[in-house]
Amino acid sequence: MSKIFVFGIGGTGSRVLKALTMLLAAGVKTKASEIVPIIIDPDSACGDKTDTVAIMNQYSTLFDSLSHQEGENLLDSFSTKLSKLDFTSEYVMPMGDNTNTQFQSYMHFASLSQENQALVNMLFSKDNQNADMSIGFTGNPNIGSVVLNQFSKSTDFLTFASNFAPGDKIFIISSIFGGTGASGFPLLLKNLRFIDPTLNIPNAAAIAASEIGAITILPYFNVKSEDNAKIDSDSFVSKTKSALSYYERNLNGLNVLYYIGDSQRGVQEYGDGGIQQRNEANFVELASALAIVDFANNSYTMPSTVYKEFGINKDVADITFPDLGSTTYNQIAKPLTEFTLFSKYLKERLHSSTSQVWLENYVNSVVGGQFYGILSQFTTAFLNWEQAMESKSHARRFSPFVLEARPKDVFGLAKGIPVTSAFGVSASNWDLYNHYLNKKDCASSANQIGKTEEGKFLSHLLLGTKKVVSKKFKF
């Protein structure tokens, strides 16, 4: 299929892309064979962004170790390619050095005429003018709108346009209650749908006519109050109302628009930006990533915009799989259970299983090597991501698993999911897991899927996991 270019704007955009990467690793199915994530964030050191980039790089290494023949359905995990545009090796669209300064310097305030300086003083407060844009727009969409309106004239937009082809699709992730996302979304949409013909942008007609979807994320957390804080949770609702009012009057050209938020909001630690901005993962971000999956799996035609919202089956503080709607349950319950079990086996059992027949060939060639280190980092990040979604800092938590080690009840990890006996097999817990990994058909299939010895190891583990989950869990 054609590519989907996914623009993740600001810190929220990065966190949703992280959730999407985790879902793709787990094997959530999408009709897209290739997704091109593009992060737009003036905060070059944003912790959420650097974490997401690292995870997507790890995903790509694991993806590259496997063969991906068309029509092959043995594995769902790591089956969707994450691609980078030519301008970057880090999935990030550079904002240029001119944003690493105060807003007044960006506008060349000192060189403006007296009349124009008076106009700037009327439109922007002194705090706005002195704002340090190197840490983002810190809840000021009026600043972001000025900077991001130059997007279509940048060499980076030219690079994106050069990579676009007829039939490709575009998706935009943004929050509505901050600065970067609230300002970036409508401007990005405008620049995609209405490209200035005098700029001679390649593939402009294909971009303007493409299928474009977006998710706008309403408030779903608050931040701790701090003296002299640049971001105030008390303003989130008023900013959201203003932005929604603007969107209603001016947002044109979307095929589908997804809305999500949560009235039950926990509290995140305050951070101005940079490495301090590293929010705990939230279920809203996972659900937002599912909007991208929905967009990939369906077609939405103009002229009218389709509007979609997300809901759970039961309004509970601690969400488990049975609390989800049937569509979401069918999409994520089995894949997340498989990949959680897979990750826990690597963490809790693999190093005491080196005498197992299936593992003997990999002990010297894979275990302990660079690839194994990347896999371990990714699965650790996956388990930490799940752990963060059930943090006490959230007013509404996603806690479908028992994540602590329970070697005598390995398969009791998925809350509310019935477990059955593996008929005709006397082994239990991790011994049962190894039983299926030792099967010859598992090794044979792994040899077909893995392009390298490392890929064979990865696919062997994933195939064994699918087998044991199919035997033990009643999905």
Side-chain angles (χ1 to χ4, degrees):
M1 134 169 208
S2 54
K3 299 187 293 293
I4 299 179
F5 293 84
V6 180
F7 290 90
I9 305 177
T12 303
S14 288
R15 292 192 297 276
V16 173
L17 282 171
K18 178 180 180 179
L20 176 66
T21 305
M22 298 304 190
L23 291 176
L24 296 178
V28 171
K29 295 181 179 179
T30 169
K31 291 181 181 178
S33 58
E34 185 175 354
I35 293 175
V36 186
I38 303 172
I39 297 173
I40 299 178
D41 194 340
D43 185 355
S44 59
C46 173
D48 287 324
K49 179 169 70 175
T50 55
D51 288 350
T52 296
V53 167
I55 286 166
M56 290 194 294
N57 281 329
Q58 292 161 10
Y59 176 99
S60 293
T61 298
L62 301 173
F63 173 91
D64 289 341
S65 73
L66 306 171
S67 67
H68 301 279
Q69 299 176 9
E70 191 172 350
E72 184 180 88
N73 294 314
L74 289 175
L75 277 183
D76 295 316
S77 295
F78 301 104
S79 60
T80 302
K81 184 178 183 180
L82 295 181
S83 300
K84 301 174 184 177
L85 285 181
D86 296 339
F87 58 66
T88 177
S89 61
E90 297 298 344
Y91 300 99
V92 179
M93 179 171 281
M95 296 291 292
D97 294 336
N98 58 346
T99 59
N100 294 322
T101 185
Q102 288 185 331
F103 182 54
Q104 62 180 346
S105 298
Y106 175 83
M107 293 188 298
H108 304 290
F109 181 81
S111 64
L112 295 176
S113 66
Q114 189 173 7
E115 292 80 3
N116 284 333
Q117 286 187 2
L119 178 62
V120 169
N121 286 329
M122 183 170 62
L123 295 174
F124 299 97
S125 69
K126 288 299 181 183
D127 285 343
N128 283 164
Q129 294 178 42
N130 294 326
D132 179 8
M133 296 193 301
S134 67
I135 57 173
F137 303 133
T138 54
N140 294 295
N142 53 337
I143 296 176
S145 63
V146 173
V147 177
L148 294 171
N149 200 37
Q150 310 305 310
F151 173 71
S152 64
K153 300 174 183 177
S154 68
T155 57
D156 307 316
F157 184 81
L158 190 66
T159 304
F160 152 72
S162 299
N163 281 270
F164 201 88
D168 289 346
K169 300 168 71 172
I170 298 170
F171 195 89
I172 304 168
I173 310 163
S174 67
S175 66
I176 202 171
F177 56 97
T180 308
S183 57
F185 169 37
L187 288 171
L188 176 57
L189 178 63
K190 182 192 76 172
N191 286 319
L192 292 169
R193 282 292 188 225
F194 309 103
I195 298 175
D196 185 346
T198 65
L199 297 176
N200 296 317
I201 299 296
N203 304 309
I207 294 170
S210 65
E211 191 173 335
I212 302 180
I215 183 163
T216 186
I217 302 171
L218 282 66
Y220 65 102
F221 64 85
N222 294 322
V223 294
K224 282 187 177 180
S225 298
E226 299 275 349
D227 292 337
N228 302 315
K230 297 181 177 68
I231 299 173
D232 182 3
S233 302
D234 291 340
S235 68
F236 284 177
V237 172
S238 60
K239 286 181 178 180
T240 298
K241 288 180 178 179
S242 297
L244 287 174
S245 177
Y246 176 85
Y247 290 1
E248 183 182 18
R249 297 192 308 271
N250 300 284
L251 202 63
N252 300 309
L254 276 176
N255 294 77
V256 56
L257 179 58
Y258 301 81
Y259 285 100
I260 193 169
D262 197 343
S263 59
Q264 304 299 315
R265 298 193 286 271
V267 179
Q268 296 280 354
E269 292 291 334
Y270 177 80
D272 279 341
I275 59 174
Q276 297 180 67
Q277 186 174 336
R278 191 173 267 116
N279 292 357
E280 289 188 299
N282 190 293
F283 177 71
V284 166
E285 295 148 12
L286 184 159
S288 299
L290 289 175
I292 305 170
V293 176
D294 179 83
F295 180 68
N297 292 346
N298 295 282
S299 182
Y300 297 96
T301 57
M302 297 291 282
S304 60
T305 301
V306 175
Y307 296 94
K308 289 193 167 187
E309 295 180 324
F310 182 88
I312 54 178
N313 200 37
K314 295 179 182 178
D315 187 4
V316 293
D318 289 281
I319 304 169
T320 60
F321 288 133
D323 300 317
L324 301 173
S326 59
T327 300
T328 308
Y329 177 92
N330 291 331
Q331 277 185 310
I332 71 172
K334 189 174 181 180
L336 286 182
T337 300
E338 287 179 356
F339 205 77
T340 301
L341 186 63
F342 163 85
S343 300
K344 285 171 69 64
Y345 178 86
L346 275 172
K347 178 181 179 180
E348 299 172 17
R349 184 66 175 193
L350 185 132
H351 283 287
S352 62
S353 299
T354 53
S355 62
Q356 295 292 321
V357 173
W358 83 271
L359 192 52
E360 287 177 348
N361 293 334
Y362 301 118
V363 169
N364 295 322
S365 60
V366 178
V367 177
Q370 183 179 11
F371 178 89
Y372 183 81
I374 292 171
L375 176 60
S376 297
Q377 289 172 21
F378 187 89
T379 53
T380 297
F382 180 85
L383 292 173
N384 289 341
W385 172 71
E386 290 186 319
Q387 190 77 59
M389 284 191 288
E390 59 179 50
S391 169
K392 297 298 183 183
S393 68
H394 302 316
R396 195 187 308 276
R397 297 162 291 278
F398 184 53
S399 54
F401 298 115
V402 178
L403 293 174
E404 62 266 20
R406 295 200 303 180
K408 295 183 178 180
D409 188 19
V410 167
F411 303 113
L413 81 162
K415 301 174 185 175
I417 305 299
V419 178
T420 186
S421 298
F423 182 75
V425 182
S426 59
S428 61
N429 295 307
W430 291 130
D431 290 334
L432 178 65
Y433 196 103
N434 278 323
H435 168 82
Y436 286 108
L437 287 170
N438 287 328
K439 291 282 189 179
K440 290 183 179 180
D441 62 337
C442 192
S444 176
S445 297
N447 287 333
Q448 296 176 42
I449 300 170
K451 290 196 299 188
T452 61
E453 196 68 11
E454 290 83 1
K456 293 174 185 176
F457 170 79
L458 174 60
S459 56
H460 197 139
L461 259 175
L462 290 168
L463 288 166
T465 304
K466 287 179 71 72
K467 178 70 73 173
V468 73
V469 168
S470 69
K471 298 292 184 182
K472 290 295 295 181
F473 294 89
K474 292 183 177 180
F475 287 106

